[in-house]
Amino acid sequence: MNSAPTIQSPLYPPPPAYPGSQPPQQGYPPPPTYPGSQPQGGFGSAPVYPGSQPQSGFSLPPTFPGSQPQSGFGPPPTLPGSQPPGGLPGGISAPPVMPQMQPTQQKGNGLKIALIALVILIVLVGGGTAAYLLTRPKPVITITSNYNAGSSTPAGAADTAFHVTGQKFSGSSSITFLLDGQQAPGTQAVQSDSNGNVTTDLKVTKEWPLGAHTITAKDAAGYVTQAGSPIQVVCQGCNKTPGPHGSPTNSASFSLKITITSRALGTVTETLIITGKDDTGGTVCQSRDDSQTTLREPGTLTFADGNKFEYVEVSTNQCSGAFVGGHLTYIETTVTDEFDFNGGPKCPISPHKKQALTGDFTDANTISGTFSEDSFTLTTCQETADSGPITVDADSGTFTGTLN
């Protein structure tokens, strides 16, 4: 123990000294000194390159041409577009700032995505709208009639009716029918069934204007037929419609058996023949009214003094007259006429109106009206030698008739 070495007595011999070296400090021997080296306290300085500036403490890193030295570590390289931030604590420079990269959008893909989104939106919105519209009532009506104007347009006159069928209205709803956008005159609302169907007749009144019109319909929810149905309102008796009170249509051909009652004639029965042509009406005549057939009709002249003379009227006749809209006129006019007195003279008479009938149908089969006959003069005949010409007074009365 007493022979152990002390700190003052080195365990190992000192290293050899080189020229220019400093004696080592106590403890460990100094490092060897090489030619050209500069001794300094602590560690030796770093080699100096051309253009570099040495600093105390740690040696500067090598400086290359174009570089700028600064304390601590050198600045990071500055790239184009980068901005150097403020220094960090301790003099350490911030890492280099790289240019901010902007992601490049692919326009084609973006447009494609936008179009897909738009299509989806349209499908969703359009599909919902379409589904809504498809479930809404879309009422339609069909108009028919027993009569037509032209080839196919339903026609009607006062006291006739248009037959209507409708579908796709609101169920169990009040249906109003419109003539040119306004409630059809004289019509009442009708009820659709639970399925939105409706069937009814629209009766035409005299308040319906003559001419072409359009019928539409709407339900209580406000749903209206989009397409109107064309119709034609015509005069009574036109287009084969019945005349007033159901009388024959204007173009009909028929005959009437009539009975005339008057003061001069008493009661006589005749047959009138109506020959239909078109909507302007037909002609009215008797079979004898051809200007050639001779008619012989007996009668008696009664004078104021009580004298009576029997005669036979011999005549040929012609006719005029018309039947239209349930109204009849008939005029029979003599072409030749004379009174032949039994065993006496023959007295010619100037042409005159032998009878005139005017009447109207009161129902589909019956007509009634008035009868009249003009006065006339037997210019060549006298009651007595000095009495002067004989004048026959006008006659009047009534008539009735029925369809044969």
Side-chain angles (χ1 to χ4, degrees):
M1 296 295 290
N2 292 334
S3 62
T6 65
I7 192 170
Q8 286 83 12
S9 58
L11 179 62
Y12 301 98
Y18 294 93
S21 63
Q22 298 295 327
Q25 297 178 356
Q26 192 175 9
Y28 296 96
T33 302
Y34 297 94
S37 64
Q38 298 296 325
Q40 58 182 350
F43 296 99
S45 62
V48 179
Y49 297 92
S52 63
Q53 299 297 326
Q55 297 179 2
S56 61
F58 294 99
S59 300
L60 294 174
T63 303
F64 298 94
S67 64
Q68 297 298 325
Q70 59 182 353
S71 60
F73 295 97
T78 302
L79 299 178
S82 64
Q83 298 296 328
L88 299 177
I92 301 175
S93 300
V97 177
M98 302 300 291
Q100 184 175 1
M101 303 299 291
Q102 297 295 333
T104 302
Q105 294 183 353
Q106 297 184 4
K107 295 184 178 180
N109 289 339
L111 179 60
K112 186 181 297 183
I113 293 172
L115 289 176
I116 292 173
L118 179 60
V119 169
I120 293 173
L121 179 61
I122 291 174
V123 169
L124 292 175
V125 174
T129 302
Y132 174 81
L133 294 176
L134 288 174
T135 58
R136 296 303 87 198
K138 296 181 178 64
V140 294
I141 58 172
T142 301
I143 305 290
T144 59
S145 174
N146 294 333
Y147 317 100
N148 288 318
S151 59
S152 59
T153 303
D159 298 329
T160 66
F162 290 103
H163 185 67
V164 184
T165 57
Q167 300 83 35
K168 300 182 181 180
F169 288 95
S170 299
S172 302
S173 179
S174 178
I175 311 300
T176 302
F177 294 95
L178 310 175
L179 182 67
D180 300 331
Q182 301 295 323
Q183 184 168 353
T187 62
Q188 300 295 325
V190 297
Q191 194 82 0
S192 65
D193 64 18
S194 59
N195 295 319
N197 300 321
V198 64
T199 301
T200 190
D201 287 332
L202 299 180
K203 186 176 180 180
V204 181
T205 68
K206 292 181 179 180
E207 284 70 36
W208 290 45
L210 298 182
H213 301 281
T214 300
I215 292 180
T216 54
K218 68 177 180 179
D219 59 28
Y223 293 104
V224 183
T225 51
Q226 297 301 307
S229 296
I231 63 162
Q232 189 86 13
V233 179
V234 300
C235 62
Q236 289 182 290
C238 296
N239 297 82
K240 300 186 181 303
T241 61
H245 307 291
S247 60
T249 186
N250 292 349
S251 57
S253 294
F254 57 96
S255 64
L256 287 170
K257 183 178 180 180
I258 65 171
T259 300
I260 301 172
T261 302
S262 74
R263 175 186 55 79
L265 296 178
T267 300
V268 296
T269 300
E270 298 177 348
T271 299
L272 300 181
I273 299 172
I274 292 86
T275 303
K277 295 185 300 181
D278 52 33
D279 285 344
T280 61
T283 60
V284 182
C285 282
Q286 295 191 63
S287 59
R288 68 195 188 192
D289 298 327
D290 58 3
S291 301
Q292 297 177 359
T293 301
T294 300
L295 176 64
R296 296 178 178 273
E297 298 174 291
T300 301
L301 282 178
T302 301
F303 295 92
D305 57 9
N307 287 332
K308 293 183 179 181
F309 298 90
E310 292 183 353
Y311 66 89
V312 174
E313 183 178 7
V314 180
S315 64
T316 60
N317 305 278
Q318 61 184 11
C319 66
S320 64
F323 172 79
V324 60
H327 180 72
L328 178 141
T329 59
Y330 168 64
I331 298 174
E332 186 177 44
T333 304
T334 61
V335 177
T336 62
D337 193 12
E338 67 179 17
F339 273 21
D340 293 346
F341 291 94
N342 291 334
K346 294 182 178 180
C347 304
I349 305 168
S350 298
H352 64 282
K353 189 184 294 182
K354 190 171 185 178
Q355 63 176 309
L357 302 177
T358 301
D360 296 278
F361 274 81
T362 55
D363 58 38
N365 296 300
T366 306
I367 190 171
S368 63
T370 60
F371 160 84
S372 65
E373 181 179 9
D374 290 346
S375 64
F376 55 92
T377 301
L378 285 62
T379 56
T380 61
C381 295
Q382 306 178 98
E383 179 187 359
T384 62
D386 58 356
S387 64
I390 300 173
T391 298
V392 177
D393 294 334
D395 192 13
S396 63
T398 61
F399 83 95
T400 59
T402 57
L403 288 174
N404 271 343

